[in-house]
Structures are given as C-alpha cells and as structure tokens.
Amino acid sequence: MSLNKSEVEQFENKGYLILDEVFEKELTLEFCINLINIINSFKLEKINIQNYQNLDLKELSEITLKSLHTLELIDHKYIKIIYDTIRDTDLLYRMTNSKKILNSIYRLMGHNNKIPLYVKQVACRIDMPNDNTFSLDWHQEAHYSIKGSQFIQLWAPIINNVGKENGSIKILESSNLEGVTETIDYVPKVGHAQYKPKQEIIDKYNEIQIELKLGQVLLFSNTLIHKSGVNSSEHPRLTLLAHYHNPLNQKFLESIGQKEIEPASRNTYKQSS
C-alpha cells in the first residue's frame, strides 16, 4: 500500500515516519536461528545451544540475547565477528528490501514509479547493556555518508521491542529542516568519530524518544538529528540499519567517487570534493 499525503507531509515536516507490520514473525525466527548457528560454530564450552528448533519466538529471542551477552563477557571479538558476518547475509538483504519499505522510500523521495536505489551500510547494531563505547552523540547521518546524497535511513528492532529501558532512538523532531548543519568534530581513542551539531541548533528542537514494537520500522531523513538511548536493560539491543540513496540525484553522481566508510575517521562535509 502506498503512503498517503499526510504521511509524506509528516516525513517532510518532522523528519521521520513509522511503518507498521513490516516484518513477518518468521523472519525474526530465522534471524535468531542464524545467530544461534553462528554462536554454536565458535564451539565454546560456556555456550552450546541445543534443542532450540521447537522453541517459540519469545524463548528463542531470550536465549539468543543471553548468549550474545555471554559472548561479550568472554571476548568482544566474537560480537565483532557476528556483526561483520550477519550484515552481509541474504536474510538482512531480504529484510531491508521488503516491498513495503522500498515502496515507501520511493514515495518519500517523490517518485511514484520505481527508481534504482543504492542501499549501503546495512547492518545489525548490537548494543550491550550499559555500554556506550560505540554510541554516537547527537548527529546527522549525512556527515557519515556520501556528500550531498539524498538518502533515507532505516532503524528497526530485529529481535524484540525497543523502548526507553533498552535505549530506543531519540530524535530532535523537525531538525531535518535545518539541512546539513555545521558540526563540532572529535575522535575518541575508542569508538566512532563524533560529528555533533552545534549546541544552539540542538537547543532549538524538542527531544522525542521513539519506542518501536517488533515488526515496526522507523524511516528518517539523513538530516534529522538523532542518537540512540542508553541500554539499561539486562540484554543486548539489536537494531537493523540501512541507508537508501537516490543515485539519480546529481550530488550523488558527483560524490560517488569518494570512498564510503563506516563512522570512523572523516566528516564527508569537511572533505574536498
């Protein structure tokens, strides 16, 4: 079903839109089983998940999250391996390229017909309880991607609901109307580079924390100022991410030669073209 006029206007004016009932339960089950198979492949004495095939979604989710937390306590390298592996699986491709998501993005970009979409930075974030090492402060996604590109970001729970307790995403509603802002940049010794908008910009807008149920998807503008909350729950928070670029945009064509990287060492708006 295509988005209606009021939904498009909300995205344009507030910078975000929530889609309901995007993912089927079976995809989450498949995702959990994929993770369990990877975890078991490490062949660690402390983690050996057996007889999981007949578990329901709630039980499967709990054992998956507990196992991920145990892996983090053993050695963070295992979480890194899972992160790097799962992002390029066919399952994440299917989840980020569902017909409902793509049709919504076409409409939000102003195209009623299909256009080619350049999908990048597909990943499943794994945020451990009370650990902000790899979190970003307030930021716009524009600074972490292709300079001048028109793109929309996806953010969605992938195993369980996300709320205040496990650190759901916070936004500054309508801050997308600022366009790409000036930033104060700093690179910590550990974690991602931070490209934070100036405080006077942040202070202009109301902060909203968006809670999402499993199956819902948040789409937001690449200029919407946002950040994740603190995961103060007992379990990891897993969220699906993706960027959808419009490759027909002239700025995209001019900038595509730039090397695109993960948030680490450069602000694309402070690089020479």
Side-chain angles (χ1 to χ4, degrees):
M1 182 181 292
S2 179
L3 300 180
N4 59 44
K5 183 179 178 181
S6 63
E7 290 172 319
V8 174
E9 289 177 349
Q10 177 189 320
F11 182 86
E12 292 173 347
N13 296 326
K14 296 185 177 182
Y16 70 97
L17 182 69
I18 297 172
L19 305 180
D20 295 321
E21 299 180 353
V22 176
F23 300 129
E24 300 290 338
K25 173 184 175 182
E26 287 70 25
L27 283 178
T28 300
L29 284 168
E30 184 179 348
F31 183 80
C32 288
I33 291 171
N34 280 0
L35 285 182
I36 287 172
N37 286 331
I38 296 172
I39 292 168
N40 281 341
S41 72
F42 294 135
K43 300 186 183 304
L44 300 174
E45 291 184 6
K46 290 186 178 181
I47 307 177
N48 185 15
I49 308 169
Q50 300 295 325
N51 304 317
Y52 58 84
Q53 290 82 358
N54 296 321
L55 297 178
D56 62 25
L57 179 56
K58 184 175 184 296
E59 295 169 323
L60 202 59
S61 298
E62 287 179 355
I63 196 169
T64 302
L65 293 173
K66 287 180 180 178
S67 299
L68 288 170
H69 197 193
T70 301
L71 279 179
E72 172 70 13
L73 295 175
I74 295 172
D75 195 324
H76 178 72
K77 73 177 183 181
Y78 295 114
I79 299 300
K80 184 179 186 304
I81 290 169
I82 291 173
Y83 174 86
D84 289 339
T85 302
I86 203 73
R87 68 182 306 173
D88 290 320
T89 59
D90 66 298
L91 176 57
L92 254 64
Y93 176 85
R94 284 183 276 132
M95 295 182 83
T96 54
N97 287 275
S98 79
K99 185 176 292 187
K100 186 166 187 177
I101 291 171
L102 296 182
N103 286 341
S104 297
I105 289 172
Y106 297 144
R107 184 82 169 89
L108 294 175
M109 287 185 172
H111 296 272
N112 292 322
N113 298 318
K114 290 185 178 181
I115 60 170
L117 289 174
Y118 183 78
V119 185
K120 291 294 288 183
Q121 291 183 239
V122 176
C124 171
R125 277 194 63 107
I126 305 174
D127 290 276
M128 291 295 161
N130 301 303
D131 183 357
N132 294 328
T133 304
F134 298 99
S135 296
L136 292 173
D137 203 335
W138 290 113
H139 65 285
Q140 295 177 310
E141 211 64 27
H143 296 280
Y144 292 90
S145 195
I146 300 169
K147 183 177 181 180
S149 178
Q150 175 198 17
F151 69 93
I152 292 172
Q153 177 161 346
L154 175 147
W155 197 96
I158 200 167
I159 283 187
N160 54 2
N161 300 341
V162 289
K164 293 180 180 179
E165 184 181 14
N166 60 354
S168 60
I169 192 169
K170 298 179 179 181
I171 67 163
L172 300 182
E173 190 175 72
S174 298
S175 59
N176 59 299
L177 300 178
E178 290 285 335
V180 177
T181 66
E182 292 186 35
T183 58
I184 299 171
D185 302 354
Y186 62 99
V187 181
K189 291 182 179 179
V190 179
H192 298 312
Q194 305 279 349
Y195 310 139
K196 184 178 179 181
K198 292 184 175 181
Q199 193 62 42
E200 56 262 34
I201 299 295
I202 293 171
D203 291 342
K204 288 171 61 176
Y205 298 96
N206 293 325
E207 175 185 318
I208 298 175
Q209 188 159 18
I210 296 179
E211 301 185 80
L212 297 172
K213 295 180 179 179
L214 188 62
Q216 290 184 309
V217 163
L218 174 69
L219 298 178
F220 60 92
S221 165
N222 64 321
T223 58
L224 184 73
I225 300 172
H226 65 285
K227 67 177 180 178
S228 295
V230 176
N231 180 7
S232 57
S233 73
E234 297 179 352
H235 301 299
R237 182 188 73 240
L238 275 66
T239 45
L240 180 65
L241 309 176
H243 292 177
Y244 301 84
H245 296 260
N246 176 7
L248 305 183
N249 176 268
Q250 188 62 39
K251 292 294 184 180
F252 175 93
L253 298 174
E254 294 172 359
S255 301
I256 189 59
Q258 298 181 35
K259 183 180 179 183
E260 185 175 2
I261 60 173
E262 296 299 317
S265 63
R266 70 182 175 99
N267 181 335
T268 57
Y269 279 80
K270 293 187 178 180
Q271 299 286 315
S272 59
S273 298

